[in-house]
Amino acid sequence: MPAYNPPLRDMRFVLQELLQVDQMFAVLPPHAGLDADTIHQVLEEGGKFAAGVVFPLNQVGDREGCRFDPATGSVTTPTGFRDAYRQFVDAGWPSLACDPAFGGQGLPAVLNNALYDMLNAANQAWTMYPGLSHGAYECLHAHGTPEQKALYLPKLVSGEWTGTMCLTEPHCGTDLGLLKTRAVARSDGSYRLSGGKIFISAGEHDMAANIVHLVLARLPDAPPGTRGISLFVVPKFLPDANGAPGARNAIHCGAIEHKLGIHGNATCQMNLDDATGWLVGEPHRGLNAMFVMMNAARLGVGMQSLGLTELAYQNAAAYARERQQGRSLTGAKHEDKPADPILVHPDVRRMLLTARAYAEGGRAFSSYVALMIDCEQHHPDPATRQQASDEVALLTPIAKAFLTDNAWIACSDALQVFGGHGYIAEWGMEQYLRDARINMIYEGTNTIQSLDLLARKVLSDNGAKLRQFGGKVRAFAEAHAADPRMAEFLVPLADLGEKLGKLTMEIGMKATQDRDEIGAAAVPYLRVAGHWMFAYFFARMAQLALDKAAGGDDFYRAKLSVARFYFARLLPETAMLIRQARSGAASLMAMDEDWF
Ligand SMILES: Cc1cc2nc3c(=O)[nH]c(=O)nc-3n(C[C@H](O)[C@H](O)[C@H](O)COP(=O)(O)OP(=O)(O)OC[C@H]3O[C@@H](n4cnc5c(N)ncnc54)[C@H](O)[C@@H]3O)c2cc1C
């Protein structure tokens, strides 16, 4: 049977020692009073909830999936999902990082991020219900009218109602400029929406009293393409005069998808037949407004994969300690047993350490991004806020794509540790691999994240944001250059930074002649950038661990081992990736379309 232990020690290390969140909180007015004890308490209670309430439903949810009743259009979630959600709401978890003006607890995003690290590990499919609601909350908080905020936010904050994002249509996923759902103004200020959306996560379910759909649609006078998309709030039940769920709105689930993974989350076809909605933000600026939700969701998807990486690692490590096969190449290590545990074999260790390094690197990196979100929102100095905002923009596509690609590798390696037992359902590993696959696709495929990083975040400002981050890396390296113990980390870090800079310039130059050069280089480019950032965080973690490991504390000794493994075994992938990125578009574009 699989198990999950919330990685509280590592979270404390990342938040308190690596990122020193207390120092940041001290200068962010809403979080100034937040102390380490409160942080620990929240993480501990969140961990209990994730491991004790949500994790036991993970395999059940996968086996049962959601059930759709065509007669009523209703969706029943797997056994226990509804009850767990009720407990989640009763305990106040949805409100953790929400605005106190709407009933929230006002805690920082970085803490919410840590909560979702654990919830996603425990059960990604279940966690998507509250996760999407939080995105809807953020979007309405940023772009809703005062009336919309007063009506919807308290319900989303409490978790009484859940939220969705309705973008995708059968003929358009990546290219939202093609979307056809129509919205026509009524005289009372509302709109009539008609069209069909597909693949809507949590579009219909039995867990909450109402569902707040955020729908992209076109007004009659909309210009073509992405500049003609508007955003609407379309509740499943129209709120009555008291704000309670009233008449049923004409947005219905027509079917749910049967899919590879995340069976416990309903992926719905949603039909809008003159459904009533209200404009959010300005006409034709809907994609802009939706980006608030999409950006939050992108980091959220990265967190889904971080959770799976941790879960897969923990279970594979436990299995490798128990499973006995063969003898160590250097002679029996457990002579009292018929064979040694597979943990003695170097390649089993490679697979385990790969998963562990991706989990620990991902936790450090994603927590940093979340802390920058807190800084972007609350720092009193506008220049610091802008700098944090630039970093969040640069790092978000990496958090989405690098962490999700890594989870796919990690879950596959962790499954391999189980041999054939990993391939059968009993041990849970095949579920984690299946669940991990969607994270590379939705919220903008990883290809689209790579294009966003290279074209929009890096080349469009001639690498300014990248250089800004590079300044932090250099400052750290200079601060520790005199410590000879740090050379094994700082030399490859500096080397990769230099190569990334050159690669960026080279692609930028080629792109002035041929834009396909960007598309050809983007995916390996993002992975190189991701490794550079992980290398920076592993170097920082190693620096902290070096002194403390000498004192004999196993946590720091292990941290140092994982950092060394990362530099020795995972970072060298960048040599190949750089060659791929430099190889250009020619080998991809030479084939005639007819030859495929
Ligand atoms: C389980 C599940 C849940 C989902 N949940 C939601 C949800 O809640 N709300 C929602 O609105 N949507 C949701 N989606 C939809 C998801 O976001 C889309 O599937 C995704 O954005 C890709 O769109 P598509 O499937 O139409 O693929 P396409 O856009 O057709 O892409 C096909 C392939 O072409 C590539 N491609 C496309 N355009 C380009 C380009 N310009 N350059 C390079 N490569 C390109 C893509 O990377 C991909 O590999 C969900 C999907 C699934 C499967």
Side-chain angles (χ1 to χ4, degrees), residues 128 132 163-176 197-203 214 216 257 259-262 265-268 290 293 298 438-449 451 519:
M128 285 171 71
L132 280 153
T164 73
M165 50 194 295
C166 299
L167 288 66
T168 307
E169 298 179 5
H171 55 281
C172 75
T174 301
D175 188 356
L176 291 170
K197 297 284 176 181
I198 61 163
F199 298 166
I200 304 308
S201 299
L214 291 179
L216 289 182
E257 305 298 342
K259 54 194 194 290
L260 183 68
I262 53 165
N265 195 272
T267 307
C268 303
M290 193 57 128
M293 188 165 184
R298 282 173 181 176
I438 187 57
N439 300 343
M440 299 151 81
I441 297 173
Y442 57 21
E443 273 322 314
T445 63
N446 285 1
T447 302
I448 298 305
Q449 304 303 323
L451 289 168

Side-chain angles (χ1 to χ4, degrees), residues 142-177:
H143 296 284
T145 62
E147 294 74 25
Q148 287 168 347
K149 288 184 187 183
L151 186 55
Y152 294 106
L153 291 186
K155 300 283 203 287
L156 288 168
V157 167
S158 68
E160 218 176 312
W161 297 358
T162 62
T164 73
M165 50 194 295
C166 299
L167 288 66
T168 307
E169 298 179 5
H171 55 281
C172 75
T174 301
D175 188 356
L176 291 170

Side-chain angles (χ1 to χ4, degrees), residues 338-354:
D340 283 338
I342 58 173
L343 195 51
V344 301
H345 303 308
D347 196 58
V348 169
R349 287 170 167 249
R350 174 191 61 80
M351 294 187 282
L352 289 172
L353 281 162
T354 298

Side-chain angles (χ1 to χ4, degrees), residues 313-527:
Y313 165 72
Q314 285 190 15
N315 283 280
Y319 187 82
R321 275 194 296 270
E322 296 298 322
R323 177 72 172 169
Q324 295 162 28
Q325 293 291 299
R327 287 294 183 192
S328 162
L329 292 170
T330 54
K333 295 287 179 291
H334 297 260
E335 280 177 351
D336 54 320
K337 295 184 177 142
D340 283 338
I342 58 173
L343 195 51
V344 301
H345 303 308
D347 196 58
V348 169
R349 287 170 167 249
R350 174 191 61 80
M351 294 187 282
L352 289 172
L353 281 162
T354 298
R356 178 150 168 176
Y358 282 146
E360 293 185 5
R363 183 164 299 114
F365 176 73
S366 61
S367 301
Y368 177 81
V369 181
L371 189 62
M372 286 302 103
I373 292 175
D374 286 319
C375 183
E376 172 190 19
Q377 289 175 350
H378 299 300
H379 202 284
D381 172 36
T384 309
R385 280 205 303 276
Q386 185 57 49
Q387 193 175 342
S389 171
D390 287 347
E391 282 198 21
V392 172
L394 178 75
L395 304 186
T396 298
I398 298 172
K400 198 281 182 179
F402 195 52
L403 267 60
T404 60
D405 283 348
N406 291 346
W408 176 245
I409 296 166
C411 288
S412 177
D413 275 353
L415 184 152
Q416 187 82 8
V417 168
F418 283 74
H421 299 272
Y423 197 71
I424 62 171
E426 183 187 352
W427 292 91
M429 304 306 288
E430 55 87 40
Q431 181 195 342
Y432 309 152
L433 187 68
R434 286 186 285 105
D435 286 355
R437 192 63 186 84
I438 187 57
N439 300 343
M440 299 151 81
I441 297 173
Y442 57 21
E443 273 322 314
T445 63
N446 285 1
T447 302
I448 298 305
Q449 304 303 323
S450 306
L451 289 168
D452 179 45
L453 175 72
L454 182 53
R456 290 188 58 228
K457 307 291 169 59
V458 174
L459 295 181
S460 73
D461 67 4
N462 292 317
K465 291 190 198 66
L466 195 68
R467 280 196 301 281
Q468 181 183 299
F469 191 84
K472 285 195 173 176
V473 177
R474 259 196 318 284
F476 168 77
E478 279 162 18
H480 299 282
D483 182 350
R485 299 171 308 166
M486 284 300 290
E488 62 176 307
F489 308 108
L490 297 182
V491 171
L493 176 64
D495 178 57
L496 185 57
E498 202 177 306
K499 286 181 173 143
L500 180 63
K502 281 188 185 149
L503 180 64
T504 308
M505 279 204 294
E506 186 178 321
I507 301 168
M509 297 280 281
K510 285 193 207 166
T512 58
Q513 308 295 318
D514 178 3
R515 299 295 286 174
D516 273 339
E517 290 292 342
I518 296 176
V523 167
Y525 180 88
L526 182 141
R527 243 187 119 64

